[in-house]
Amino acid sequence: MKVSLGAIYLSFLRVGAVMFGGGYAMLPLISETVVEKGWLTAAQIIDFVAIAESTPGPFSINVATFVGMTVGNATSGSFWGGALGILCTVGGLFIPSFVIILIVYKLSEKFMKSKVINDSFVTVRPTIVALIASAFLSLAAATFLGKGSGGQISVNWFGIVWFAVCFAALRLFGKKIHPIFIIIISAGVGILYYGVILGGI
């Protein structure tokens, strides 16, 4: 699907302008932007989230980078198209935040003492929780549910069981087990189960 660089930039500029609450709060906005427009699939977004969590750097910038590279490559069919796509997505996210932070810095004393500003932040917090919860439910539904060949809903029981195992391990041994080990082990288990056992590698 051909997408203009201007459309990519403006779409992520809109996301960046209202990106309160960090990366996970941003996911519903990105999904609405790229999935509903047909630029990417929900499965690709989930893969990007997994990669973004496993690589250094801010989560939102990592996701935007992968989205920009994929959409840019699909549009132009070249590496440079992907690089320009990254500039559009990351620039769109970064510029509004940068400008807002500059303004807040310049007016920090007035902002911190303003009852209107403080009240607005109190009101925004539940919205951020709702956005994060929406992102969690969307990712969970796309991960644990799917459609079979006949169109019927299928349940990824192995994924549900492994989620429960990882969640229990983090809750019980969170201080002794670094999350990166959970990610590495999960990757190995996924290769073993989906690639070797089900895929017949």
mmCIF file of all heavy atoms in Angstrom, residues 8 23 28-30 38 49 55 73 81 83 85 87-88 94 99 106 112-113 119 126 144 149 160 171 177-178 181 188:
data_model
loop_
_atom_site.group_PDB
_atom_site.id
_atom_site.type_symbol
_atom_site.label_atom_id
_atom_site.label_comp_id
_atom_site.label_asym_id
_atom_site.label_seq_id
_atom_site.Cartn_x
_atom_site.Cartn_y
_atom_site.Cartn_z
ATOM 1 N N ILE A 8 2.241 10.055 6.722
ATOM 2 C CA ILE A 8 2.866 9.387 7.859
ATOM 3 C C ILE A 8 3.240 10.410 8.921
ATOM 4 O O ILE A 8 2.951 10.241 10.116
ATOM 5 C CB ILE A 8 4.113 8.597 7.417
ATOM 6 C CG1 ILE A 8 3.734 7.491 6.432
ATOM 7 C CG2 ILE A 8 4.835 8.005 8.628
ATOM 8 C CD1 ILE A 8 4.917 6.790 5.808
ATOM 9 N N GLY A 23 4.645 5.419 26.579
ATOM 10 C CA GLY A 23 4.535 4.512 25.450
ATOM 11 C C GLY A 23 3.268 3.690 25.383
ATOM 12 O O GLY A 23 2.622 3.621 24.336
ATOM 13 N N PRO A 28 -2.916 2.593 21.765
ATOM 14 C CA PRO A 28 -4.231 2.671 21.101
ATOM 15 C C PRO A 28 -4.262 3.718 19.992
ATOM 16 O O PRO A 28 -4.909 3.514 18.962
ATOM 17 C CB PRO A 28 -5.180 3.056 22.245
ATOM 18 C CG PRO A 28 -4.496 2.609 23.490
ATOM 19 C CD PRO A 28 -3.034 2.794 23.220
ATOM 20 N N LEU A 29 -3.560 4.828 20.185
ATOM 21 C CA LEU A 29 -3.533 5.880 19.172
ATOM 22 C C LEU A 29 -2.786 5.417 17.922
ATOM 23 O O LEU A 29 -3.215 5.661 16.793
ATOM 24 C CB LEU A 29 -2.874 7.140 19.739
ATOM 25 C CG LEU A 29 -3.512 7.728 20.997
ATOM 26 C CD1 LEU A 29 -2.709 8.925 21.499
ATOM 27 C CD2 LEU A 29 -4.952 8.144 20.713
ATOM 28 N N ILE A 30 -1.655 4.728 18.132
ATOM 29 C CA ILE A 30 -0.893 4.222 16.988
ATOM 30 C C ILE A 30 -1.679 3.131 16.259
ATOM 31 O O ILE A 30 -1.714 3.089 15.033
ATOM 32 C CB ILE A 30 0.476 3.694 17.443
ATOM 33 C CG1 ILE A 30 1.394 4.861 17.770
ATOM 34 C CG2 ILE A 30 1.117 2.848 16.354
ATOM 35 C CD1 ILE A 30 2.840 4.485 17.943
ATOM 36 N N GLY A 38 -4.975 0.535 7.359
ATOM 37 C CA GLY A 38 -4.476 -0.553 6.526
ATOM 38 C C GLY A 38 -2.996 -0.510 6.260
ATOM 39 O O GLY A 38 -2.494 -1.236 5.406
ATOM 40 N N VAL A 49 5.908 -4.264 19.456
ATOM 41 C CA VAL A 49 5.910 -4.030 20.906
ATOM 42 C C VAL A 49 6.909 -4.962 21.580
ATOM 43 O O VAL A 49 7.683 -4.546 22.453
ATOM 44 C CB VAL A 49 4.498 -4.234 21.491
ATOM 45 C CG1 VAL A 49 4.546 -4.253 23.015
ATOM 46 C CG2 VAL A 49 3.567 -3.124 21.026
ATOM 47 N N THR A 55 14.689 -3.916 23.171
ATOM 48 C CA THR A 55 15.802 -3.116 22.662
ATOM 49 C C THR A 55 15.977 -1.853 23.489
ATOM 50 O O THR A 55 15.029 -1.365 24.090
ATOM 51 C CB THR A 55 15.543 -2.723 21.189
ATOM 52 O OG1 THR A 55 14.228 -2.136 21.087
ATOM 53 C CG2 THR A 55 15.620 -3.932 20.289
ATOM 54 N N ASN A 73 9.327 1.282 3.895
ATOM 55 C CA ASN A 73 9.801 0.243 2.970
ATOM 56 C C ASN A 73 8.685 -0.232 2.053
ATOM 57 O O ASN A 73 8.888 -0.463 0.860
ATOM 58 C CB ASN A 73 10.355 -0.954 3.758
ATOM 59 C CG ASN A 73 11.827 -0.788 4.085
ATOM 60 O OD1 ASN A 73 12.535 -0.047 3.433
ATOM 61 N ND2 ASN A 73 12.291 -1.471 5.114
ATOM 62 N N GLY A 81 13.635 4.574 1.686
ATOM 63 C CA GLY A 81 12.230 4.850 1.975
ATOM 64 C C GLY A 81 11.903 4.539 3.423
ATOM 65 O O GLY A 81 11.175 5.290 4.082
ATOM 66 N N ALA A 83 14.120 4.609 5.860
ATOM 67 C CA ALA A 83 14.792 5.623 6.676
ATOM 68 C C ALA A 83 13.981 6.912 6.739
ATOM 69 O O ALA A 83 13.854 7.539 7.794
ATOM 70 C CB ALA A 83 16.183 5.901 6.113
ATOM 71 N N GLY A 85 10.778 7.051 6.357
ATOM 72 C CA GLY A 85 9.607 6.723 7.180
ATOM 73 C C GLY A 85 9.904 6.868 8.658
ATOM 74 O O GLY A 85 9.072 7.367 9.434
ATOM 75 N N LEU A 87 12.152 8.909 9.973
ATOM 76 C CA LEU A 87 12.220 10.347 10.253
ATOM 77 C C LEU A 87 10.822 10.933 10.445
ATOM 78 O O LEU A 87 10.618 11.792 11.310
ATOM 79 C CB LEU A 87 12.943 11.067 9.111
ATOM 80 C CG LEU A 87 14.448 10.847 9.006
ATOM 81 C CD1 LEU A 87 14.998 11.563 7.770
ATOM 82 C CD2 LEU A 87 15.171 11.341 10.259
ATOM 83 N N CYS A 88 9.871 10.453 9.655
ATOM 84 C CA CYS A 88 8.506 10.972 9.749
ATOM 85 C C CYS A 88 7.817 10.538 11.041
ATOM 86 O O CYS A 88 7.177 11.352 11.719
ATOM 87 C CB CYS A 88 7.685 10.517 8.543
ATOM 88 S SG CYS A 88 8.196 11.265 6.988
ATOM 89 N N PHE A 94 8.287 13.240 18.318
ATOM 90 C CA PHE A 94 9.253 13.985 19.127
ATOM 91 C C PHE A 94 8.980 15.487 19.169
ATOM 92 O O PHE A 94 9.074 16.124 20.227
ATOM 93 C CB PHE A 94 10.663 13.737 18.591
ATOM 94 C CG PHE A 94 11.729 14.521 19.276
ATOM 95 C CD1 PHE A 94 12.177 14.164 20.533
ATOM 96 C CD2 PHE A 94 12.280 15.648 18.668
ATOM 97 C CE1 PHE A 94 13.157 14.897 21.176
ATOM 98 C CE2 PHE A 94 13.266 16.388 19.289
ATOM 99 C CZ PHE A 94 13.713 16.005 20.552
ATOM 100 N N VAL A 99 8.510 20.647 22.044
ATOM 101 C CA VAL A 99 7.989 22.016 22.148
ATOM 102 C C VAL A 99 7.236 22.206 23.467
ATOM 103 O O VAL A 99 7.404 23.228 24.155
ATOM 104 C CB VAL A 99 7.073 22.333 20.947
ATOM 105 C CG1 VAL A 99 6.379 23.682 21.140
ATOM 106 C CG2 VAL A 99 7.883 22.336 19.655
ATOM 107 N N LYS A 106 9.973 26.852 30.569
ATOM 108 C CA LYS A 106 10.018 28.305 30.654
ATOM 109 C C LYS A 106 8.992 28.852 31.640
ATOM 110 O O LYS A 106 9.204 29.887 32.282
ATOM 111 C CB LYS A 106 9.776 28.921 29.264
ATOM 112 C CG LYS A 106 10.919 28.712 28.279
ATOM 113 C CD LYS A 106 12.156 29.482 28.718
ATOM 114 C CE LYS A 106 13.270 29.378 27.687
ATOM 115 N NZ LYS A 106 14.496 30.101 28.109
ATOM 116 N N MET A 112 3.405 25.116 37.981
ATOM 117 C CA MET A 112 3.328 24.331 39.202
ATOM 118 C C MET A 112 2.430 24.976 40.262
ATOM 119 O O MET A 112 1.869 24.306 41.107
ATOM 120 C CB MET A 112 4.730 24.107 39.772
ATOM 121 C CG MET A 112 5.613 23.225 38.904
ATOM 122 S SD MET A 112 4.910 21.576 38.576
ATOM 123 C CE MET A 112 4.307 21.779 36.893
ATOM 124 N N LYS A 113 2.290 26.286 40.195
ATOM 125 C CA LYS A 113 1.474 26.991 41.179
ATOM 126 C C LYS A 113 0.044 27.215 40.694
ATOM 127 O O LYS A 113 -0.790 27.708 41.458
ATOM 128 C CB LYS A 113 2.115 28.349 41.502
ATOM 129 C CG LYS A 113 3.462 28.235 42.217
ATOM 130 C CD LYS A 113 4.057 29.604 42.470
ATOM 131 C CE LYS A 113 5.415 29.493 43.176
ATOM 132 N NZ LYS A 113 6.040 30.830 43.391
ATOM 133 N N ASP A 119 -5.294 20.817 38.515
ATOM 134 C CA ASP A 119 -6.585 20.125 38.379
ATOM 135 C C ASP A 119 -6.667 19.378 37.055
ATOM 136 O O ASP A 119 -7.235 18.277 36.982
ATOM 137 C CB ASP A 119 -7.739 21.130 38.474
ATOM 138 C CG ASP A 119 -7.911 21.684 39.886
ATOM 139 O OD1 ASP A 119 -7.334 21.088 40.820
ATOM 140 O OD2 ASP A 119 -8.601 22.701 40.041
ATOM 141 N N PRO A 126 -6.779 9.501 35.175
ATOM 142 C CA PRO A 126 -7.653 8.355 34.870
ATOM 143 C C PRO A 126 -7.703 8.030 33.382
ATOM 144 O O PRO A 126 -7.841 6.869 32.995
ATOM 145 C CB PRO A 126 -9.029 8.830 35.372
ATOM 146 C CG PRO A 126 -8.734 9.891 36.363
ATOM 147 C CD PRO A 126 -7.504 10.569 35.872
ATOM 148 N N PHE A 144 -4.124 -13.801 22.388
ATOM 149 C CA PHE A 144 -4.758 -15.025 22.884
ATOM 150 C C PHE A 144 -5.928 -15.502 22.035
ATOM 151 O O PHE A 144 -6.382 -16.627 22.181
ATOM 152 C CB PHE A 144 -5.246 -14.830 24.322
ATOM 153 C CG PHE A 144 -4.133 -14.493 25.285
ATOM 154 C CD1 PHE A 144 -4.289 -13.493 26.230
ATOM 155 C CD2 PHE A 144 -2.934 -15.176 25.243
ATOM 156 C CE1 PHE A 144 -3.260 -13.180 27.125
ATOM 157 C CE2 PHE A 144 -1.899 -14.873 26.113
ATOM 158 C CZ PHE A 144 -2.069 -13.869 27.049
ATOM 159 N N SER A 149 -9.660 -21.451 10.257
ATOM 160 C CA SER A 149 -9.876 -21.489 8.811
ATOM 161 C C SER A 149 -11.340 -21.298 8.445
ATOM 162 O O SER A 149 -11.669 -20.773 7.393
ATOM 163 C CB SER A 149 -9.358 -22.817 8.239
ATOM 164 O OG SER A 149 -9.986 -23.916 8.893
ATOM 165 N N ILE A 160 -1.899 -18.546 26.775
ATOM 166 C CA ILE A 160 -2.515 -18.206 28.061
ATOM 167 C C ILE A 160 -1.758 -18.880 29.205
ATOM 168 O O ILE A 160 -1.463 -18.258 30.240
ATOM 169 C CB ILE A 160 -4.001 -18.613 28.074
ATOM 170 C CG1 ILE A 160 -4.783 -17.757 27.067
ATOM 171 C CG2 ILE A 160 -4.590 -18.487 29.476
ATOM 172 C CD1 ILE A 160 -6.222 -18.174 26.893
ATOM 173 N N ARG A 171 5.927 -12.405 39.792
ATOM 174 C CA ARG A 171 5.349 -12.024 41.082
ATOM 175 C C ARG A 171 6.067 -12.699 42.245
ATOM 176 O O ARG A 171 6.275 -12.097 43.303
ATOM 177 C CB ARG A 171 3.862 -12.378 41.130
ATOM 178 C CG ARG A 171 2.998 -11.625 40.153
ATOM 179 C CD ARG A 171 3.043 -10.130 40.386
ATOM 180 N NE ARG A 171 2.533 -9.764 41.699
ATOM 181 C CZ ARG A 171 2.571 -8.545 42.213
ATOM 182 N NH1 ARG A 171 3.138 -7.575 41.507
ATOM 183 N NH2 ARG A 171 2.078 -8.280 43.401
ATOM 184 N N ILE A 177 14.797 -12.601 39.527
ATOM 185 C CA ILE A 177 14.832 -12.900 38.096
ATOM 186 C C ILE A 177 14.690 -11.601 37.320
ATOM 187 O O ILE A 177 13.699 -10.884 37.480
ATOM 188 C CB ILE A 177 13.704 -13.872 37.691
ATOM 189 C CG1 ILE A 177 13.818 -15.184 38.463
ATOM 190 C CG2 ILE A 177 13.757 -14.143 36.195
ATOM 191 C CD1 ILE A 177 12.706 -16.162 38.145
ATOM 192 N N HIS A 178 15.666 -11.302 36.484
ATOM 193 C CA HIS A 178 15.579 -10.093 35.663
ATOM 194 C C HIS A 178 14.607 -10.350 34.507
ATOM 195 O O HIS A 178 14.601 -11.436 33.915
ATOM 196 C CB HIS A 178 16.963 -9.736 35.108
ATOM 197 C CG HIS A 178 17.042 -8.336 34.590
ATOM 198 N ND1 HIS A 178 16.530 -7.981 33.359
ATOM 199 C CD2 HIS A 178 17.546 -7.209 35.141
ATOM 200 C CE1 HIS A 178 16.722 -6.697 33.166
ATOM 201 N NE2 HIS A 178 17.345 -6.203 34.225
ATOM 202 N N PHE A 181 15.654 -12.154 31.253
ATOM 203 C CA PHE A 181 15.749 -13.612 31.215
ATOM 204 C C PHE A 181 14.397 -14.231 30.862
ATOM 205 O O PHE A 181 14.329 -15.244 30.154
ATOM 206 C CB PHE A 181 16.256 -14.147 32.553
ATOM 207 C CG PHE A 181 17.697 -13.812 32.826
ATOM 208 C CD1 PHE A 181 18.039 -12.957 33.868
ATOM 209 C CD2 PHE A 181 18.709 -14.336 32.051
ATOM 210 C CE1 PHE A 181 19.363 -12.633 34.114
ATOM 211 C CE2 PHE A 181 20.034 -14.019 32.287
ATOM 212 C CZ PHE A 181 20.362 -13.163 33.322
ATOM 213 N N GLY A 188 12.883 -18.701 23.413
ATOM 214 C CA GLY A 188 13.282 -20.091 23.199
ATOM 215 C C GLY A 188 12.109 -21.040 23.237
ATOM 216 O O GLY A 188 12.000 -21.956 22.401
#
